[in-house]
Amino acid sequence: MTERLDVFMARANAAYYATRDPFADFTTSPEITQVFGEVLGLWAAVTWQQCGAPDPVWLVEAGPGRGTLMSDALRAIGRAMPDFAAALRVGLIETSPRLRAVQAQAVSQAQWFDDLASVPDGPLILLANEFLDALPIRQFVRRGDGWAERFVTDGAFTEHPAGPDGPPSADLPDGTIQERCDPAEAFTDDVARRIAAHGGGALFLDYGPEHSTPGDSLQALVAGRPADPLSPPGTADLTAHVDFAALAAAARAAGAAAHGPVPQGLFLARLGLFQRANRLARHLPMQQAAAVMEGARRLGEPDMMGRLFKALAVTRPGAPVPAGFETDPA
Ligand code: SAH
């Protein structure tokens, strides 16, 4: 069987999320410390105020995993901004029935959706952590003065001449790989259109470079270790770097404003990650307190997740700059 890489990746991840506990293979920020979801909940609350406190408003998370982020966010919102808590409706965009059941344990009042298109129109605040990196990518390889596209044939890469929808011509060395994630761009386009039309804000956290760079970023993890991306579908978690520059451009083309990307560490520090961790730790026994501080460090330190991970926000043009995206004075 021969499949285009994105078709293979979609099939592999659908099988993986349907049958496995992904969190046995990798640890995400909300699973490292509750402070992550709390801080994002406060970001959502400030964003809600900045867009005029609409009631009702959809608070939607895409790819919510175990539901930990939303559960922590709702707890922080309930404490800090009860008006927002009363106005919001919780939506979870999740395709895996297995993970929906896990999420229902963590977030009781949610409504589930297969995709953004099925979320009713209206003001929208959207959170997505490590969602876009799971969406299927295509890979093009520079061959001579044209492009080939990568396919998967019986567990190995094969190349076929790229069609007219390949990348624009470019003076790149033979063998250079150029990636593209059409579903991530389509998702961002849809989010941006909704926010431009109805107000709100979106926050994407994921890993990837600040500027678009050529190269092969497809990776597979099994039990926390790198594995062959072409392992049999369902055995490994497949991800690729998120092209933030392409997504910011997609958001602007759809009529919204894009902010960032800024390194996750800077973004979380500006939102008070370390102060909140400190405050939480003060009331905990020593060992748990140490774990909270270590978790905050893992998320924020540049040599851990603070630099590789980035935050990108989408708002209505002319809306205030979202929290954490203030540009430093030159
Ligand atoms: N945000 C979570 C989980 C990240 S794993 C965390 O930070 O812990 C990726 C999540 O996206 C899983 O919940 C997976 O089932 C979901 N997902 C992957 N592809 C999807 C798609 N096309 N549509 C909706 N959800 C998807």
Side-chain angles (χ1 to χ4, degrees):
M1 178 167 59
T2 295
E3 292 168 297
R4 211 167 71 183
L5 176 60
D6 58 330
V7 176
F8 173 83
M9 186 172 171
R11 187 163 69 88
N13 273 348
Y16 178 79
Y17 288 115
T19 55
R20 309 255 305 205
D21 180 0
F23 303 94
D25 290 323
F26 58 87
T27 310
T28 56
S29 303
E31 305 300 331
I32 291 174
T33 167
Q34 68 182 74
V35 182
F36 181 76
E38 291 172 354
V39 163
L40 297 202
L42 298 177
W43 183 90
V46 172
T47 302
W48 177 70
Q49 283 191 316
Q50 285 178 331
C51 69
D55 180 0
V57 59
W58 279 101
L59 176 63
V60 174
E61 185 183 352
R66 282 179 173 161
T68 309
L69 192 170
M70 185 56 89
S71 158
D72 293 336
L74 290 172
R75 190 179 54 249
I77 291 166
R79 283 193 199 137
M81 220 178 277
D83 291 355
F84 179 39
L88 64 82
R89 296 173 183 182
V90 180
L92 300 177
I93 299 176
E94 176 60 66
T95 40
S96 156
R98 204 177 156 282
L99 285 176
R100 282 188 180 198
V102 176
Q103 291 152 16
Q105 302 290 314
V107 187
S108 50
Q109 74 274 43
Q111 263 177 268
W112 279 265
F113 301 98
D114 284 330
D115 49 32
L116 188 60
S118 21
V119 178
D121 270 345
L124 168 74
I125 296 177
L126 180 120
L127 304 174
N129 182 62
E130 290 207 54
F131 166 66
L132 299 171
D133 67 358
L135 299 180
I137 59 159
R138 294 170 68 180
Q139 285 186 336
F140 299 90
V141 191
R142 191 73 183 159
R143 292 291 175 216
D145 55 4
W147 292 96
E149 179 158 14
R150 284 181 117 182
F151 284 66
V152 179
T153 306
D154 303 326
F157 280 117
T158 49
E159 290 180 13
H160 298 267
D165 65 345
S169 188
D171 188 16
L172 291 166
D174 199 74
T176 303
I177 291 182
Q178 188 83 53
E179 298 180 335
R180 191 169 82 211
C181 188
D182 294 329
E185 288 185 34
F187 188 85
T188 308
D189 173 87
D190 195 2
V191 168
R193 272 174 212 288
R194 279 167 181 256
I195 288 171
H198 304 286
L203 177 65
F204 296 101
L205 290 139
D206 228 307
Y207 67 109
E210 188 178 346
H211 303 288
S212 307
T213 22
D216 175 8
S217 76
L218 183 67
Q219 71 163 32
L221 284 183
V222 175
R225 282 161 205 255
D228 176 8
L230 305 187
S231 309
T235 59
D237 174 60
L238 292 185
T239 57
H241 281 181
V242 169
D243 185 347
F244 285 102
L247 299 185
R252 291 189 184 109
H259 307 267
V262 301
Q264 166 170 296
L266 180 60
F267 171 73
L268 292 176
R270 282 172 170 170
L271 288 175
L273 172 78
F274 295 104
Q275 289 89 328
R276 286 192 71 79
N278 255 316
R279 217 175 310 143
L280 176 66
R282 238 181 276 149
H283 304 287
L284 292 172
M286 203 153 78
Q287 224 169 4
Q288 278 168 278
V292 166
M293 296 313 294
E294 172 58 19
R297 253 172 37 79
R298 264 178 85 179
L299 302 183
E301 290 288 332
D303 59 343
M304 301 173 100
M305 296 169 79
R307 187 164 27 221
L308 179 57
F309 280 70
K310 309 283 189 306
L312 177 78
V314 175
T315 62
R316 220 176 202 178
V321 173
F325 291 89
E326 304 83 3
T327 37
D328 292 318

